[in-house]
Every structure is written in structure tokens, then in C-alpha cells.
Amino acid sequence: MDDLFGSPVLRVDQPRGAPAARSRYKVFDGHGALLATAEERDVSLLRQAARTALGGGDGRRIVHVENAQGAPLLIVARDGRRRTRVHAPQGVPIGSVQHLDRYRYALLDAADRQVGQLDGSRFGRSFPVLDAHGHHVAQLDKKWKGAVTEVLTTADRYSLEIFQPLPDPLRVLVPAAPLAIDLMLYENKDWPLD
């Protein structure tokens, strides 16, 4: 568990070949070592087909995050387009990422108190991560993967650089932020090429 939450650089990749109607990710450190995998489970074929036909807009998605050895780390659950909750593997709430406006998101603790913020750029590709005092503690960027991939698939790539050790719950919420942002902003373009 400490590798994912202690690494100063994370790269989150969503495989292009993955079924478009089921969210899947791989998380690597700055050297390319696999730290975690994340994926939806128990998504029926009917629901996958409906998501593909409707563009993925059925609201709720639950992604289970495991370390490279398969031990559970987190549950990241999108309630809708406005909030994604982060839970410990046993279901205990850690906090959430709440949409504020345009590309700004609040990082909230389990009691819904704001402990940080993502101040996204105009195009939703660059997100300075601020703590509760407004200090820039991390940087989240969505990487360009090409026009066809960007428009027609759910294959996305994020880089996250954490500038300093973070206190709880930011220590967990910041590494979960790329998954939360992807689930809220980009998982509705479920139109697969492969």
C-alpha cells in the first residue's frame, strides 16, 4: 500500500484495447514499475452493451484498486458526473472528489470538509492540486494520445507529480484523483475503435 501512496511520480494508463464499457487502469511509478491495477468488476454484458450504445452515460461506476500483488487498496466509486467517492477496501469512507464548476474539483474528507482542490485548465488537461491553504502540492496532467484515440476511445493517460509528502486524507485522495477525474470527465466517450 505504501508504494502507491508514497511514490512522488505516478503514471496512470487506461489501455486502448480494454472493453470500452468497463473502466480499467494501470498505475506505474516514475520508473515504469507497476504499482497498482484498477478495474470495474461484475459489469454484465447487457450493461456493457448499453454503455457502448449510449456513450457510457449510465452514471455509476465502481473501480477496485489493487496493488501489483493483487491486495486491495481502494474503491473509487463515481456516483454521477458530480462526485466520486474514495473508500478503503472494507468500505470505510476516506473522502471524495466533488465537481465545483467547469474544471474545478474539491477534495473532501470523509465528513465532506474541503481539504484540497484541483484547479483545472480551460480544456481539462492540466490540474494543479492545492491543499486546504492554497499551496500547490501536486500536479496532475492528462497526456495527449492522438486525435483518434482521444475522440473515439476511452484510452487515456495521466501523469501525477507529488511535490511533498501529504497528510491524510490527501495522501490517498491525490493518487486517486486521476481515476476520479477520468471517471467524471472522460468515461462517457465509450465509442471503441477495436
Side-chain angles (χ1 to χ4, degrees):
M1 181 158 149
D2 291 328
D3 289 337
L4 177 63
F5 305 117
S7 178
V9 176
L10 296 175
R11 191 181 85 224
V12 179
D13 285 329
Q14 187 173 31
R16 184 168 189 237
R22 199 176 91 214
S23 301
R24 294 183 2 174
Y25 307 88
K26 290 185 178 181
V27 183
F28 301 91
D29 68 11
H31 302 290
L34 180 67
L35 296 179
T37 59
E39 69 178 306
E40 280 187 289
R41 299 178 182 159
D42 303 324
V43 181
S44 71
L45 291 175
L46 180 61
R47 185 166 207 158
Q48 289 183 47
R51 283 180 177 175
T52 300
L54 300 172
D58 68 343
R60 189 157 172 80
R61 289 182 186 248
I62 300 172
V63 174
H64 296 265
V65 182
E66 298 177 339
N67 70 13
Q69 294 74 37
L73 296 175
L74 294 174
I75 299 169
V76 180
R78 181 183 84 179
D79 291 346
R81 293 188 57 88
R82 302 208 52 86
R83 182 180 287 224
T84 297
R85 298 182 189 278
V86 179
H87 301 274
Q90 307 79 13
V92 176
I94 294 170
S96 62
V97 179
Q98 171 76 45
H99 181 248
L100 297 173
D101 59 45
R102 300 283 299 157
Y103 294 107
R104 287 182 340 120
Y105 294 82
L107 299 173
L108 306 173
D109 68 11
D112 283 341
R113 294 177 299 236
Q114 188 166 341
V115 295
Q117 185 168 304
L118 297 163
D119 276 342
S121 67
R122 182 173 161 199
F123 300 106
R125 292 199 158 291
S126 178
F127 295 88
V129 182
L130 310 176
D131 67 11
H133 306 290
H135 299 117
H136 188 195
V137 296
Q139 180 65 39
L140 172 62
D141 294 305
K142 183 177 187 294
K143 300 300 184 183
W144 180 254
K145 289 187 82 172
V148 172
T149 299
E150 289 282 329
V151 174
L152 297 177
T153 75
T154 60
D156 294 311
R157 177 177 294 144
Y158 299 86
S159 68
L160 176 66
E161 183 178 357
I162 301 169
F163 305 139
Q164 62 194 45
L166 299 172
D168 285 327
L170 284 179
R171 184 180 72 87
V172 176
L173 291 175
V174 171
L179 300 177
I181 292 298
D182 192 72
L183 289 170
M184 287 189 284
L185 279 179
Y186 299 107
E187 275 303 89
N188 288 339
K189 59 180 174 132
D190 285 337
W191 304 102
L193 284 183
D194 338 281

